Amino acid sequence: MRRTAVLTATIAIAAAALTGCTEEQAYCVDLAGFAAAATNVDPQKPADYAKILEDAKKMRDSAPAEVKDDWATVVGFAEKAQKAGTNEIELARLSKQLGGVTTAYKAIATQAKDSCKVDIPNLN
């Protein structure tokens, strides 16, 4: 009986470890796809921008805790910028938030390189 309990506990611990690893690996795979797609984005093409924003939302939702808030910052800013469109007053207001967005994006890029071995493109 004791041997069965130890075996069951070992399997449960191993399964929990694999689940966490699998989630991180899935994020890294998705991040590599995001990075590849983001290199071809033309900010002047609304269809490109909308697609990369949808991809960024997926990254925000699947990001590990250490960069989840950073992804939320980047996505929130991108949504506001998309909504502002060409409204110069709104864009000027948003420009005051660029420092925080840049900091968040740098944190994402650092984590991507360190944990996933993925280089994500610079902000344009």
Side-chain angles (χ1 to χ4, degrees):
M1 181 72 165
R2 180 172 178 207
R3 185 174 177 186
T4 303
V6 170
L7 181 60
T8 301
T10 303
I11 291 171
I13 291 169
L18 287 176
T19 301
C21 183
T22 301
E23 289 174 9
E24 175 127 3
Q25 287 175 344
Y27 170 77
C28 290
V29 169
D30 291 345
L31 186 61
F34 172 84
T39 59
N40 299 319
V41 169
D42 180 351
Q44 302 303 314
K45 293 182 181 175
D48 282 5
Y49 191 78
K51 171 65 174 129
I52 201 66
L53 180 56
E54 287 306 309
D55 290 346
K57 288 178 184 178
K58 292 175 187 172
M59 298 309 307
R60 172 198 62 199
D61 295 343
S62 67
E66 69 185 282
V67 290
K68 196 168 234 7
D69 289 343
D70 297 312
W71 274 108
T73 298
V74 170
V75 168
F77 180 83
E79 288 173 327
K80 290 175 189 174
Q82 185 179 38
K83 186 176 179 182
T86 57
N87 182 321
E88 291 181 21
I89 294 170
E90 286 302 313
L91 291 173
R93 286 182 187 148
L94 283 173
S95 70
K96 295 175 183 176
Q97 298 176 16
L98 279 176
V101 174
T102 301
T103 300
Y105 195 80
K106 284 179 182 177
I108 292 167
T110 298
Q111 188 274 345
K113 187 160 191 78
D114 294 348
S115 297
C116 299
K117 309 301 183 233
V118 172
D119 290 318
I120 59 175
N122 294 326
L123 287 176
N124 294 331

